[in-house]
Amino acid sequence: MSILIIKPGFQTTVQDLGRVGFKKSGVPESGCMDKFSSRLANILCGNNPSDAVLEMVLHGVEILALSPLVVVFSGGGAQPVINKQLVPFNRPVFIPANSTIHTLPYHEGMRLYMAIGGGIDVPLVMGSRSTYLPAEAGTPCISGSILAIGKSSILTENILQQLAIDFHTITFSLWGYLPQHTAINSKIIRIMEGPEWHLFTLNAQIDCVLQPFTILPQSNRMGYRLHGKPLELIEKVEMISTAVTKGTIQITPNGSLLILMADAQTTGGYPRIAQVMETDINALAQIKPGDDIHFQMISLSEAMKVNAGLENLLHNICKAVESKFL
Amino acid sequence: MEPTIIRISESAFTLSWESIIDPAIHAYVVEANALINLNPFPGWIENVPAFHTLTIFFDVRIAQQHQIDNLYFHQYIRDVLAKEHSLNQTAKPLITIPVLYHPSVAPDLECAANSLQMDIDTLIQIHSSQIYTVFLIGFMPGFPYMGILPDALVLPRKDTPSTQVPAGTVAIAGKQTGIYPHNSPGGWYGIGQTAMPMFSNGKCFLHSGDQVKFMPIYE
């Protein structure tokens, strides 16, 4: 089973939940920027949540299914269309061989995830299928790329059995996950105090949570650059590089904010004013350049409760799918 | 010396010693790294060493199952750093990296020598006679930050980074020396070229704590 990329759109990459354990070699985690949407998409087509999916930035993608497939679209940023039919988000769809998938502009979100029953089967590099070219990891998704799809799980087979009327007709399932799209509409990003929070002026600390910040166009998988009120240190510091992680908000010498994302360098020397909580990194992944965000301070324990809540939600969805189809 | 312990995210905390770049302080990082690797806690994933810090990454789900909280971490760090380990007294072997120091492969050799007001041979002699500590791997896969560079060779980073530094370039900036594993933009001065791969097949050649010496080779 396989798919052919006819047009890759703005940026299409194969991602899974990331490369774990190689930061000490200078290799970032990479992986899906919105791990809620990607895992949801996988679960709904009977995959392991950690299976590789396509992450597509905005619209303009064209893909040919070379075999019959069960797929799920999740996230936002684009509206999938198959053989001229609009495809609903967050529900499994059976598509016959030789179907063409297009993605059109969509009003909400930035990244669309396409999970395919069986998972995208490209070589593992350092334990992951996530794309990170500086470490020679990843299979290109350019015009003409053919991506293999892995063997379907029993769950996927059963979903397909129940779904497909025959092998020629596109069928949308009647069940799925609401809301319509998981591109979280909230532009409020919850943060915790960073290790250098106390080195910033009181005004900077206040502005951090009161002022809006705009996502700049040069934002990408390495980091989001923000435009807004400059945040000042009490006095200039020469920081020595230390390990950083995705979600870390650094302040550059001119006072601007830089949020490290999935492909960011593993070490850095800019002062860290705050840390985006894990769940809201998913939300950030769906915010477009030009949009404004506001930060809201929460504690570590509150963050952990919210994160655990999200894990429970995914776990329950998984159990619901299993109980229906296993 | 006891480190401070900071929780930097839901899934990582950082041990921090005195904030200076000094092999004597880095020795604490290397020691702690080795001890934690030998005695991991449930959910531990990896440690990322830097100049004066060691950052410990772990799986939050597994940690929560074992009710690991900040108090647990403090006790764990106190206990693990108190352990003796047999590698303590073993001297680290010296890794020799062959380098071709020649303007034809090193784009900045001549201008670095000019800025340092010495001839090229002197620059080569000073750079290759020092034993360097690998402080950390960062910036890109396999890139080693090594030091301390002798004072005579200290140059500030380039104002305008080069757009393309070739893979294998041995470079200097500030009190550090490093090796670019891949073609990349870079602000350090390229003074030589090595054929030894710094990162291949997912494996890093150098690690934090390694002792390195450059050996000039001639065509």
Side-chain angles (χ1 to χ4, degrees):
Chain A
M1 291 199 294
S2 54
I3 59 171
L4 166 69
I5 311 281
I6 299 173
K7 288 188 191 146
F10 286 88
Q11 184 189 44
T12 296
T13 52
V14 176
Q15 302 290 345
D16 56 19
L17 295 184
R19 197 157 276 119
V20 169
F22 294 88
K23 293 188 181 81
K24 58 182 167 297
S25 300
V27 181
E29 237 179 66
S30 302
C32 294
M33 294 269 274
D34 174 0
K35 287 185 178 166
F36 175 71
S37 296
S38 71
R39 284 184 291 170
L40 177 65
N42 270 328
I43 290 167
L44 294 172
C45 63
N47 283 348
N48 200 300
S50 60
D51 280 342
V53 300
L54 282 184
E55 177 181 273
M56 298 174 270
V57 173
L58 300 173
H59 57 274
V61 178
E62 199 179 319
I63 295 172
L64 178 66
L66 296 173
S67 33
L69 302 171
V70 176
V71 303
V72 178
F73 293 94
S74 187
Q79 169 65 58
V81 172
I82 300 180
N83 292 358
K84 303 208 174 129
Q85 297 178 57
L86 291 181
V87 183
F89 287 83
N90 303 331
R91 51 185 75 207
V93 180
F94 169 75
I95 64 176
N98 294 316
S99 305
T100 305
I101 300 153
H102 281 98
T103 65
L104 300 180
Y106 191 71
H107 61 277
E108 196 56 58
M110 179 77 180
R111 289 176 168 83
L112 180 68
Y113 291 91
M114 178 173 157
I116 304 174
I120 297 181
D121 188 12
V122 296
L124 287 166
V125 177
M126 289 174 273
S128 168
R129 296 186 164 89
S130 294
T131 300
Y132 184 65
L133 298 178
E136 282 146 26
T139 303
C141 295
I142 54 174
S143 294
S145 298
I146 293 183
L147 302 178
I149 307 302
K151 191 170 183 308
S152 295
S153 67
I154 294 176
L155 199 46
T156 303
E157 296 275 313
N158 292 348
I159 291 172
L160 183 141
Q161 288 281 341
Q162 196 248 25
L163 195 51
I165 301 168
D166 55 38
F167 275 89
H168 316 292
T169 314
I170 298 171
T171 326
F172 307 137
S173 80
L174 296 175
W175 60 273
Y177 174 74
L178 293 176
Q180 172 68 355
H181 60 78
T182 52
I184 301 161
N185 210 344
S186 172
K187 305 287 198 280
I188 295 191
I189 303 297
R190 290 162 295 184
I191 58 174
M192 302 171 283
E193 291 177 10
E196 284 84 49
W197 170 262
H198 60 285
L199 296 183
F200 287 87
T201 63
L202 190 56
N203 279 336
Q205 294 173 344
I206 292 169
D207 284 336
C208 190
V209 293
L210 282 190
Q211 297 291 330
F213 293 92
T214 313
I215 314 283
L216 289 170
Q218 58 265 52
S219 300
N220 56 29
R221 284 183 52 89
M222 279 191 70
Y224 275 26
R225 295 198 171 265
L226 306 185
H227 171 78
K229 201 133 182 270
L231 301 183
E232 285 177 357
L233 290 159
I234 296 170
E235 58 183 15
K236 202 169 184 305
V237 280
E238 264 309 309
M239 263 194 59
I240 299 172
S241 283
T242 182
V244 290
T245 184
K246 68 179 189 292
T248 297
I249 306 178
Q250 297 178 316
I251 305 296
T252 61
N254 62 5
S256 354
L257 279 71
L258 170 61
I259 310 180
L260 301 180
M261 297 298 264
D263 288 352
Q265 288 174 12
T266 51
T267 55
Y270 292 142
R272 300 159 290 179
I273 193 169
Q275 175 73 25
V276 177
M277 62 169 286
E278 212 178 86
T279 298
D280 285 359
I281 295 172
N282 302 329
L284 264 180
Q286 297 294 354
I287 299 177
K288 289 208 263 283
D291 283 352
D292 278 356
I293 58 173
H294 277 86
F295 293 115
Q296 182 183 84
M297 194 62 73
I298 60 161
S299 68
L300 174 69
S301 60
E302 285 172 315
M304 306 224 1
K305 277 204 200 101
V306 172
N307 295 337
L310 200 74
E311 295 306 305
N312 281 340
L313 174 60
L314 285 171
H315 177 81
N316 291 339
I317 295 169
C318 199
K319 289 286 163 232
V321 173
E322 278 171 12
S323 72
K324 199 169 156 69
F325 292 102
L326 269 185
Chain B
M1 192 192 287
E2 274 184 13
T4 56
I5 303 173
I6 315 158
R7 188 73 175 268
I8 64 163
S9 76
E10 297 100 313
S11 54
F13 60 106
T14 295
L15 307 185
S16 193
W17 287 265
E18 195 185 334
S19 179
I20 54 173
I21 297 181
D22 181 343
I25 293 298
H26 186 252
Y28 290 107
V29 175
V30 174
E31 171 86 352
N33 192 18
L35 287 167
I36 294 169
N37 271 278
L38 287 170
N39 307 283
F41 57 91
W44 175 80
I45 295 172
E46 68 165 327
N47 296 339
V48 180
F51 294 104
H52 71 295
T53 59
L54 186 70
T55 299
I56 303 163
F57 289 90
F58 59 94
D59 183 313
V60 177
R61 259 61 74 183
I62 298 175
Q64 274 182 320
Q65 281 163 24
H66 289 83
Q67 285 154 337
I68 291 172
D69 57 12
N70 279 348
L71 176 62
Y72 177 101
F73 288 138
H74 278 72
Q75 289 171 329
Y76 164 77
I77 291 301
R78 186 199 57 203
D79 293 345
V80 83
L81 295 189
K83 287 184 191 290
E84 309 248 330
H85 72 109
S86 56
L87 300 174
N88 221 338
Q89 305 309 324
T90 314
K92 279 233 151 211
L94 188 64
I95 297 172
T96 307
I97 295 184
V99 181
L100 182 60
Y101 294 94
H102 195 273
S104 62
V105 296
D108 306 316
L109 181 57
E110 280 167 338
C111 78
N114 283 339
S115 304
L116 293 167
Q117 296 176 317
M118 60 179 65
D119 58 51
I120 288 179
D121 285 338
T122 308
L123 196 167
I124 294 171
Q125 195 267 320
I126 298 176
H127 188 254
S128 60
S129 56
Q130 179 82 329
I131 293 177
Y132 301 102
T133 298
V134 177
F135 286 107
L136 68 144
I137 309 295
F139 165 59
M140 57 187 316
F143 185 101
Y145 283 84
M146 300 178 280
I148 306 283
L149 202 63
D151 283 341
L153 299 186
V154 172
L155 277 173
R157 227 160 284 220
K158 290 182 187 171
D159 282 334
T160 315
S162 303
T163 45
Q164 190 79 287
V165 178
T169 298
V170 175
I172 59 174
K175 292 188 171 181
Q176 306 277 313
T177 182
I179 305 169
Y180 286 85
H182 303 279
N183 294 343
S184 94
W188 293 29
Y189 289 86
I191 59 169
Q193 171 77 213
T194 181
M196 207 158 226
M198 289 298 110
F199 187 81
S200 65
N201 294 329
K203 292 249 167 25
C204 212
F205 180 65
L206 293 174
H207 302 90
S208 176
D210 284 349
Q211 300 297 299
V212 168
K213 199 158 189 258
F214 295 103
M215 183 176 72
I217 58 172
Y218 303 93
E219 298 207 277

